[in-house]
Amino acid sequence: LSADQASLVKSSWAQVKHSEVDILASIFTANPDIQARFPQFAGKDIDSIKDTGAFATHAGRIVGFFSEIVGLIGNQSNVPALYTLTEQLAASHKARGISTAQFGEFRASLVSYLSNHVSWGENVAAAWNVALDNFFFVLTSNY
Ligand code: HEM
């Protein structure tokens, strides 16, 4: 990830990082199999759960994880912390039986959300692609 790419990821993430509920709702809508893995939300209509405190809590954790990662990128001295966080995420999700294919679905839906909600273009798309490739490399190496 070049310095320019890191700053594109940061500036575009800043445009949506407070839309936690909207982001998680769009991921659940596009991937019922992901929603089905959340005991509290499985089988429920998105509109009926979207405005609940429980949904906001989960959305805050999941989207907040990305904010933490994005906050660390672009600085070589943060690489060990990036590895540790990503390895922990792999371990906690592997233990829940979440497949890497489901992470792939999550990625596709997140990119789709970004492309519709931030100033998007070839350079921003390429920057996210490299950042997510790096993240997924570490994640899947630990599966
Ligand atoms: C919990 C992040 C993808 C299912 C969590 C938590 C975080 C998180 C931070 C809370 C801490 C923990 O328990 O580890 C993420 C991120 C993802 C991702 C950043 C993508 C890059 C997925 C996918 C699934 C999933 C694809 C299901 C197919 C769950 C479940 C929980 C959870 C079931 C526990 C919820 C509960 O406490 O009831 N996730 N997650 N996650 N995640 Fe993920």
Side-chain angles (χ1 to χ4, degrees):
L1 195 72
S2 70
D4 280 354
Q5 288 179 320
S7 76
L8 283 177
V9 168
K10 285 172 190 281
S11 60
S12 54
W13 183 247
Q15 296 165 43
V16 292
K17 68 176 184 181
H18 296 304
S19 306
E20 294 98 335
V21 164
D22 203 34
I23 292 173
L24 189 61
S26 82
I27 289 169
F28 278 9
T29 302
N31 306 283
D33 66 299
I34 293 183
Q35 182 179 341
R37 303 306 300 263
F38 287 79
Q40 301 182 63
F41 308 126
K44 295 187 179 159
D45 182 50
I46 300 270
D47 289 331
S48 75
I49 54 175
K50 204 180 166 199
D51 300 325
T52 64
F55 194 82
T57 300
H58 281 273
R61 283 191 194 127
I62 293 168
V63 177
F65 179 91
F66 275 100
S67 290
E68 201 176 351
I69 294 278
V70 170
L72 292 168
I73 63 171
N75 181 339
Q76 201 59 27
S77 63
N78 290 333
V79 169
L82 285 164
Y83 268 78
T84 302
L85 283 168
T86 309
E87 284 160 6
Q88 287 168 349
L89 188 79
S92 72
H93 286 67
K94 195 176 166 183
R96 290 188 180 102
I98 310 294
S99 67
T100 53
Q102 286 180 304
F103 271 101
E105 293 171 2
F106 186 107
R107 173 182 183 160
S109 296
L110 180 67
V111 170
S112 163
Y113 185 91
L114 290 167
S115 70
N116 288 303
H117 293 86
V118 308
S119 322
W120 195 246
E122 230 172 88
N123 294 343
V124 179
W128 273 97
N129 199 44
V130 176
L132 288 167
D133 274 354
N134 291 345
F135 172 66
F136 271 75
F137 175 76
V138 179
L139 185 86
T140 55
S141 305
N142 283 277
Y143 250 76

